[in-house]
Amino acid sequence: MLRRKGNLHSLAGLLEIPQDIVLDLPRITMLGNKQLLVENHKGIIEYTPSLVRIKLTQGELFIHGENLSLGNLQAEQILVEGVVQEVKYDI
């Protein structure tokens, strides 16, 4: 598996394709501490006003905060809104 990822990484660089697309990696974008956009996720594991757990290809993303809500939920992206206090990527 490691060799395949190395080959895909090299191919992505050669073709100038973003690695998140080739390697099936999540893209996480924050706007201050008010919004967090997660692209290329595998679903929601847990959702409360203080915690959102999102399944990723490898591991989970933990978003802790206050008044968290899902502003936009689509097949490939999730927008979490509220006061984001901590983001943890657990492999």
Side-chain angles (χ1 to χ4, degrees):
M1 183 73 174
L2 289 175
R3 182 176 172 109
R4 181 172 180 239
K5 282 190 178 184
N7 290 340
L8 288 174
H9 186 272
S10 297
L11 180 63
L14 198 83
L15 298 176
E16 298 181 6
I17 299 172
Q19 292 181 18
D20 58 320
I21 294 172
V22 175
L23 299 176
D24 199 26
L25 298 173
R27 179 182 297 253
I28 302 164
T29 308
M30 286 186 72
L31 180 61
N33 71 333
K34 304 296 181 196
Q35 292 183 335
L36 189 135
L37 178 65
V38 181
E39 298 175 272
N40 201 17
H41 67 89
K42 301 300 177 190
I44 297 173
I45 299 170
E46 182 178 355
Y47 167 62
T48 69
S50 61
L51 172 66
V52 178
R53 289 175 51 212
I54 300 172
K55 181 168 177 51
L56 305 173
T57 303
Q58 293 181 354
E60 297 178 18
L61 186 67
F62 293 80
I63 304 162
H64 294 273
E66 296 177 4
N67 302 317
L68 298 178
S69 64
L70 302 178
N72 186 7
L73 180 60
Q74 297 180 7
E76 295 184 9
Q77 67 181 23
I78 297 173
L79 178 65
V80 178
E81 298 179 306
V83 179
V84 177
Q85 297 170 329
E86 179 182 19
V87 178
K88 179 181 172 189
Y89 191 153
D90 189 19
I91 297 178

